[in-house]
Amino acid sequence: MDKIHLIMWLQLLITSALQIRTTQSVNTNFAPNVCEIHQKDGDYIIGGIFKPYVSSDTCDGVISSESVSFIESMTYAIESINNQSDLLSGVDLGYEIRNSCENEDITLWTMMTMTTSVGRYEYTETCPDQNRTNSGKVIGIVGTGRSASSIIAAVAGRVVTVPIISYFATSDELSDSERFPFFFRTVPADRFQAQVIVDILQHFNWKYIALFYSLDSYGISGARQIVWLAELYDICIPINVPVSIPASERDIEDIAKRLSDHDNVKVIVSFAVSRGALAVLKAVQKLETSRNFTFIGSDALSPVFIAFRDFASVLMGGIFIRFRSELPDTFQEHYRKLPNNQQQTSQWYQEKLRQIRLAENCTSWPSCSVLKVHWNTQQVISAVYAIAYALNASLQENLRQTAGSSERPIDGWLLKKKLLEVSVPSAGNTSFRLDENGDVPGTYQINNWQIINESYELINVGKWDSLRDTHLHLEDNKIQWRTRDGQVPISLCIEKCQPGYIQDPLEKICCSGCQKCPEYAIVVNENNASVCQDCPVTDWPDDDFKACVPIQPSFLGYRNPVFILSIAGVFLGLIFTALAAAGLCYYSEHSLIKASSRELCAINLIGLGFFCIVVALNLLTPTNVTCVAIDVCISTSFCISFAPVLLKVNRIWRIFNLNPSKKVRLKSPKSQVIMASCIILIEVLVAILSIFVDPSIPDILIPPQRKPYLEIYCRFGYGIFITWPYNSAIIGACCYYAFKARKLPDNFNESKFIAVSVYSTLIVCLAAIPVYTTAIGVAQKIGALSVPLLVNTYLSLFCLYLPKIYAIHYQREDIQSTRGTGSASVEMSTSSQRVG
């Protein structure tokens, strides 16, 4: 005996022992209703396990309308197969339908009584007044309608090798083909339903929900799948509560307290059997009426169920899921006519009709309520047909193996194999196949509980199909919400942040507030979380703080005081320069003008005019052209201005420091102009060279503190280190000769004025350099650059030209009178000889 068969026999022994105990429980609590049986003999028997009564505690009383339609659909399907010529030809199917009372013990007892000889003996002992006429073997069983009882049936089915096909058990636990190899079902597993629920949560961005599930296989398995998927989709479940069956008043109060403690929860997911869902609804009713919840109900919670009629208003606006099932037209027609032809109906159906007559006090069916076909009836019919097609394939297999023998034994393992191979027709000209786990694909209908014409209705608003690329399809415009404004409910514990803010976790689980980002940062998503990201120093966030946009750099405005003062200084400087030039031209033949070299003065005045032009250029918006022009003009203007000054002071010093007998060389105006031109030409060449080395270019001045403000300015290149040493040498030489010539006679001591001009210019330039390099604004840089240029212009004008013009114009008589004095005449004659 191999290991598998040994395990099976051990299970059989254990099951038999459990059956003895179960029989005692059956005899004590549920007899005689557990003995009720609806049967028909045949070559092969298909068993059925249903729950005919509404009450599961006593298994008697009111007959369940839905169970009656299930039972009648099973018998209808078997009779239809018997009347077909292309399916199980020559084979007559029978049925044996039993009452499980939705109880695990009775389910086990029922399974064993239908499938084993020991069970048949126990049935006779327990139900001595009941007749069991079936002689054929039960080859397959349709049932049960609950996951918990289906697990018991599946365990027993493995022991006796009889396939079990459920029409309503959806627990994922039953998809374990190794544990339940003989279990199949015509409804999709709860893992699909859990995915439907999570997809709906994702669709409406509900990230903060409550989950209630029943403490049974159905609820635990479904809730576990939802929690797992919720973690993948970043959905928080602060309320995750199992509901006892039946729930006590204390359980209901605990549910209400949990909901009141989490006031941001607006969506409740119920994955519980009817009695568990009822406890949740009762708890919701205990809360304030102003608190509205949106329910997402699994297939066990539907507002149309009788058990939930008192909670229609609470469930309004909810979304409810049920697997897709099309009602067969032929059976609906058959069921409509059934009250007038009750010969083949079950005793439960007949009892239901009697209860309707008593309740409505009616005598004829046209005046009585008509029983409706349950929406899931097709799954019962599909289960019968699956067994029939598998049986047909098994019989053909046997015929091939036995070479046409009339022996037709059916092995449970062969029937199981064929169930996984056959294609089963369904309603709507469709068919399905069972996968390796005995499951079918997941197709669901999504409904919304609405108020239409002052009455509640369940409206189809979408579907979900596991075989499609896009599983979920919802018609949002058809959904009616329970909110005051009719908009989609918001179920988040996240404060809605304004632009420029990010979510900041709070102490409360899964909740967050808002934290402001720095004004120079944008909000970006990284790893499904919003974070602050600094913009580059040259950018600034847009109005939505979602993107960095370049800051348009600005320049010195026309109203800026530095601009106004610089322009005023330029105009005055040009005017004074022009006046000085006019005065020199007017008094060009005067001895003071001749002695100071008219030609060199003209070159110097050109340089002073260049200073004013450079200041004006410095006020233009920086471009590549203007920056290069400013660079060249600054260095050239210094050279044009100070080269003639250097030659003048050098000439004066040479004249008064040579022996009277020696003649001064290179003192003529022509030679002086040639030397000045050579000095300036060298500077121009050096300036041009600096342009090619590293020219000045426009650059951005970034303030020390981040602001949405940048300034553009001309950044001096390294070429300036080529031109400035040359100019510095010229200015330094001017200072040297001005110092050497400081003791010359007053009438010829122009070097004193030159010294004052050069020293002042040098001091101002030395002070301007650190100011310019450390300036944090364009206005400061322009001011630091303009001041030394304008100061040099005004000092040169006031020190070199104003005294001459003043002396010529106002002190003409004094000068003539001094010529008559002896000492002065000697000096003038001596100097005239040296100069001449």
Side-chain angles (χ1 to χ4, degrees), residues 473-501:
H473 174 72
L474 275 177
E475 298 180 73
D476 294 1
N477 58 329
K478 287 186 177 182
I479 300 177
Q480 187 179 108
W481 302 108
R482 200 187 174 192
T483 53
R484 294 179 180 177
D485 56 0
Q487 299 299 313
V488 179
I490 297 175
S491 192
L492 297 169
C493 193
I494 300 175
E495 183 181 350
K496 188 176 182 180
C497 296
Q498 298 178 355
Y501 288 78

Short mmCIF file of all heavy atoms in Angstrom, two decimals, residues 473-501:
data_model
loop_
_atom_site.label_atom_id
_atom_site.label_comp_id
_atom_site.label_asym_id
_atom_site.label_seq_id
_atom_site.Cartn_x
_atom_site.Cartn_y
_atom_site.Cartn_z
N HIS A 473 -13.81 48.48 -15.02
CA HIS A 473 -14.49 49.47 -15.87
C HIS A 473 -15.68 50.01 -15.09
O HIS A 473 -16.62 49.27 -14.77
CB HIS A 473 -14.96 48.86 -17.18
CG HIS A 473 -15.77 49.80 -18.02
ND1 HIS A 473 -15.22 50.88 -18.68
CD2 HIS A 473 -17.10 49.83 -18.29
CE1 HIS A 473 -16.18 51.53 -19.31
NE2 HIS A 473 -17.33 50.92 -19.10
N LEU A 474 -15.62 51.31 -14.74
CA LEU A 474 -16.67 51.94 -13.96
C LEU A 474 -17.26 53.12 -14.73
O LEU A 474 -16.52 53.87 -15.38
CB LEU A 474 -16.13 52.45 -12.62
CG LEU A 474 -16.06 51.47 -11.46
CD1 LEU A 474 -15.43 52.13 -10.25
CD2 LEU A 474 -17.42 50.91 -11.11
N GLU A 475 -18.57 53.26 -14.65
CA GLU A 475 -19.25 54.43 -15.21
C GLU A 475 -19.54 55.38 -14.04
O GLU A 475 -20.59 55.31 -13.40
CB GLU A 475 -20.53 54.01 -15.92
CG GLU A 475 -20.28 53.08 -17.11
CD GLU A 475 -21.55 52.66 -17.81
OE1 GLU A 475 -22.14 53.50 -18.51
OE2 GLU A 475 -21.97 51.50 -17.63
N ASP A 476 -18.60 56.26 -13.79
CA ASP A 476 -18.69 57.14 -12.63
C ASP A 476 -19.93 58.01 -12.65
O ASP A 476 -20.48 58.35 -11.59
CB ASP A 476 -17.44 58.03 -12.55
CG ASP A 476 -16.19 57.22 -12.27
OD1 ASP A 476 -16.29 55.99 -12.16
OD2 ASP A 476 -15.11 57.82 -12.15
N ASN A 477 -20.36 58.41 -13.83
CA ASN A 477 -21.51 59.30 -13.91
C ASN A 477 -22.82 58.63 -13.50
O ASN A 477 -23.81 59.31 -13.24
CB ASN A 477 -21.65 59.85 -15.33
CG ASN A 477 -21.80 58.75 -16.37
OD1 ASN A 477 -21.28 57.65 -16.20
ND2 ASN A 477 -22.50 59.04 -17.44
N LYS A 478 -22.82 57.32 -13.42
CA LYS A 478 -24.03 56.60 -13.01
C LYS A 478 -24.11 56.41 -11.49
O LYS A 478 -25.16 56.03 -10.98
CB LYS A 478 -24.09 55.23 -13.67
CG LYS A 478 -24.43 55.26 -15.15
CD LYS A 478 -24.61 53.84 -15.67
CE LYS A 478 -25.02 53.83 -17.13
NZ LYS A 478 -25.24 52.43 -17.61
N ILE A 479 -23.02 56.67 -10.79
CA ILE A 479 -22.98 56.38 -9.36
C ILE A 479 -23.64 57.51 -8.57
O ILE A 479 -23.41 58.69 -8.84
CB ILE A 479 -21.52 56.18 -8.89
CG1 ILE A 479 -20.88 55.02 -9.65
CG2 ILE A 479 -21.47 55.93 -7.39
CD1 ILE A 479 -19.42 54.80 -9.31
N GLN A 480 -24.44 57.14 -7.62
CA GLN A 480 -25.11 58.10 -6.73
C GLN A 480 -24.48 57.98 -5.35
O GLN A 480 -24.51 56.93 -4.72
CB GLN A 480 -26.61 57.79 -6.67
CG GLN A 480 -27.43 58.82 -5.92
CD GLN A 480 -28.91 58.45 -5.93
OE1 GLN A 480 -29.46 58.05 -4.90
NE2 GLN A 480 -29.55 58.56 -7.08
N TRP A 481 -23.89 59.10 -4.88
CA TRP A 481 -23.17 59.08 -3.61
C TRP A 481 -24.07 59.58 -2.48
O TRP A 481 -25.07 60.27 -2.72
CB TRP A 481 -21.92 59.93 -3.68
CG TRP A 481 -20.96 59.52 -4.75
CD1 TRP A 481 -20.68 60.16 -5.91
CD2 TRP A 481 -20.14 58.34 -4.74
NE1 TRP A 481 -19.75 59.46 -6.64
CE2 TRP A 481 -19.40 58.33 -5.94
CE3 TRP A 481 -19.98 57.28 -3.85
CZ2 TRP A 481 -18.50 57.33 -6.26
CZ3 TRP A 481 -19.07 56.28 -4.17
CH2 TRP A 481 -18.36 56.31 -5.36
N ARG A 482 -23.66 59.30 -1.26
CA ARG A 482 -24.43 59.71 -0.09
C ARG A 482 -23.89 61.01 0.51
O ARG A 482 -24.19 61.34 1.64
CB ARG A 482 -24.39 58.59 0.96
CG ARG A 482 -25.53 58.69 1.98
CD ARG A 482 -25.34 57.69 3.09
NE ARG A 482 -26.33 57.87 4.15
CZ ARG A 482 -26.26 57.28 5.32
NH1 ARG A 482 -25.26 56.47 5.61
NH2 ARG A 482 -27.19 57.50 6.23
N THR A 483 -23.11 61.73 -0.22
CA THR A 483 -22.56 62.99 0.27
C THR A 483 -23.55 64.13 0.03
O THR A 483 -24.43 64.04 -0.82
CB THR A 483 -21.24 63.31 -0.45
OG1 THR A 483 -21.45 63.25 -1.87
CG2 THR A 483 -20.17 62.29 -0.08
N ARG A 484 -23.37 65.22 0.77
CA ARG A 484 -24.30 66.35 0.67
C ARG A 484 -24.24 67.02 -0.69
O ARG A 484 -25.25 67.46 -1.23
CB ARG A 484 -24.00 67.36 1.77
CG ARG A 484 -24.27 66.82 3.17
CD ARG A 484 -23.92 67.87 4.22
NE ARG A 484 -24.17 67.35 5.57
CZ ARG A 484 -23.90 68.03 6.68
NH1 ARG A 484 -23.37 69.25 6.59
NH2 ARG A 484 -24.15 67.50 7.86
N ASP A 485 -23.04 67.11 -1.26
CA ASP A 485 -22.90 67.77 -2.55
C ASP A 485 -22.93 66.81 -3.72
O ASP A 485 -22.79 67.21 -4.87
CB ASP A 485 -21.60 68.57 -2.60
CG ASP A 485 -20.37 67.70 -2.29
OD1 ASP A 485 -20.55 66.49 -2.05
OD2 ASP A 485 -19.25 68.25 -2.28
N GLY A 486 -23.12 65.51 -3.43
CA GLY A 486 -23.19 64.52 -4.50
C GLY A 486 -21.85 64.18 -5.12
O GLY A 486 -21.80 63.45 -6.12
N GLN A 487 -20.77 64.67 -4.53
CA GLN A 487 -19.44 64.39 -5.06
C GLN A 487 -18.87 63.11 -4.46
O GLN A 487 -19.40 62.57 -3.49
CB GLN A 487 -18.51 65.57 -4.78
CG GLN A 487 -18.96 66.87 -5.42
CD GLN A 487 -19.01 66.79 -6.93
OE1 GLN A 487 -18.09 66.30 -7.58
NE2 GLN A 487 -20.12 67.26 -7.49
N VAL A 488 -17.80 62.64 -5.05
CA VAL A 488 -17.15 61.41 -4.57
C VAL A 488 -16.67 61.63 -3.14
O VAL A 488 -16.03 62.64 -2.84
CB VAL A 488 -15.96 61.05 -5.48
CG1 VAL A 488 -15.27 59.79 -4.96
CG2 VAL A 488 -16.43 60.84 -6.91
N PRO A 489 -16.99 60.72 -2.23
CA PRO A 489 -16.52 60.88 -0.84
C PRO A 489 -14.99 60.88 -0.78
O PRO A 489 -14.32 60.28 -1.62
CB PRO A 489 -17.11 59.65 -0.13
CG PRO A 489 -18.20 59.17 -1.01
CD PRO A 489 -17.81 59.51 -2.41
N ILE A 490 -14.48 61.56 0.23
CA ILE A 490 -13.03 61.61 0.44
C ILE A 490 -12.73 60.81 1.71
O ILE A 490 -13.23 61.14 2.79
CB ILE A 490 -12.54 63.05 0.58
CG1 ILE A 490 -12.80 63.82 -0.72
CG2 ILE A 490 -11.06 63.08 0.94
CD1 ILE A 490 -12.45 65.29 -0.63
N SER A 491 -11.94 59.78 1.56
CA SER A 491 -11.57 58.96 2.71
C SER A 491 -10.05 58.96 2.82
O SER A 491 -9.37 58.02 2.39
CB SER A 491 -12.11 57.53 2.56
OG SER A 491 -11.99 56.81 3.77
N LEU A 492 -9.53 60.04 3.36
CA LEU A 492 -8.09 60.23 3.54
C LEU A 492 -7.85 60.86 4.89
O LEU A 492 -8.66 61.65 5.38
CB LEU A 492 -7.52 61.14 2.45
CG LEU A 492 -7.60 60.68 1.00
CD1 LEU A 492 -7.24 61.82 0.07
CD2 LEU A 492 -6.67 59.50 0.76
N CYS A 493 -6.73 60.51 5.49
CA CYS A 493 -6.32 61.20 6.72
C CYS A 493 -5.11 62.05 6.40
O CYS A 493 -4.08 62.01 7.06
CB CYS A 493 -6.01 60.19 7.83
SG CYS A 493 -5.85 60.96 9.46
N ILE A 494 -5.25 62.76 5.30
CA ILE A 494 -4.15 63.58 4.81
C ILE A 494 -4.68 64.98 4.60
O ILE A 494 -5.65 65.18 3.86
CB ILE A 494 -3.58 63.03 3.50
CG1 ILE A 494 -3.04 61.60 3.71
CG2 ILE A 494 -2.49 63.93 2.95
CD1 ILE A 494 -2.58 60.93 2.44
N GLU A 495 -4.09 65.93 5.27
CA GLU A 495 -4.50 67.32 5.09
C GLU A 495 -4.18 67.77 3.67
O GLU A 495 -3.10 67.49 3.14
CB GLU A 495 -3.77 68.21 6.09
CG GLU A 495 -4.19 69.67 6.03
CD GLU A 495 -3.42 70.52 7.04
OE1 GLU A 495 -2.72 69.92 7.89
OE2 GLU A 495 -3.52 71.75 6.95
N LYS A 496 -5.13 68.43 3.04
CA LYS A 496 -4.92 68.92 1.69
C LYS A 496 -3.97 70.10 1.73
O LYS A 496 -4.28 71.14 2.30
CB LYS A 496 -6.25 69.31 1.05
CG LYS A 496 -6.12 69.65 -0.43
CD LYS A 496 -7.47 69.94 -1.05
CE LYS A 496 -7.33 70.25 -2.54
NZ LYS A 496 -8.64 70.54 -3.16
N CYS A 497 -2.83 69.92 1.14
CA CYS A 497 -1.79 70.94 1.23
C CYS A 497 -1.87 71.91 0.06
O CYS A 497 -2.18 71.53 -1.08
CB CYS A 497 -0.40 70.29 1.25
SG CYS A 497 -0.10 69.27 2.71
N GLN A 498 -1.57 73.16 0.35
CA GLN A 498 -1.49 74.18 -0.67
C GLN A 498 -0.19 74.01 -1.45
O GLN A 498 0.73 73.30 -1.01
CB GLN A 498 -1.55 75.57 -0.03
CG GLN A 498 -2.84 75.85 0.70
CD GLN A 498 -2.81 77.22 1.36
OE1 GLN A 498 -1.80 77.92 1.34
NE2 GLN A 498 -3.93 77.60 1.95
N PRO A 499 -0.11 74.63 -2.62
CA PRO A 499 1.15 74.55 -3.37
C PRO A 499 2.33 75.02 -2.54
O PRO A 499 2.24 76.03 -1.83
CB PRO A 499 0.89 75.47 -4.57
CG PRO A 499 -0.59 75.46 -4.75
CD PRO A 499 -1.15 75.35 -3.36
N GLY A 500 3.41 74.29 -2.62
CA GLY A 500 4.60 74.63 -1.86
C GLY A 500 4.71 73.94 -0.52
O GLY A 500 5.65 74.19 0.23
N TYR A 501 3.75 73.05 -0.21
CA TYR A 501 3.76 72.31 1.05
C TYR A 501 3.90 70.82 0.75
O TYR A 501 3.45 70.34 -0.29
CB TYR A 501 2.47 72.55 1.85
CG TYR A 501 2.37 73.92 2.46
CD1 TYR A 501 2.01 75.02 1.69
CD2 TYR A 501 2.61 74.12 3.82
CE1 TYR A 501 1.90 76.30 2.25
CE2 TYR A 501 2.50 75.39 4.39
CZ TYR A 501 2.15 76.46 3.60
OH TYR A 501 2.04 77.70 4.17
#
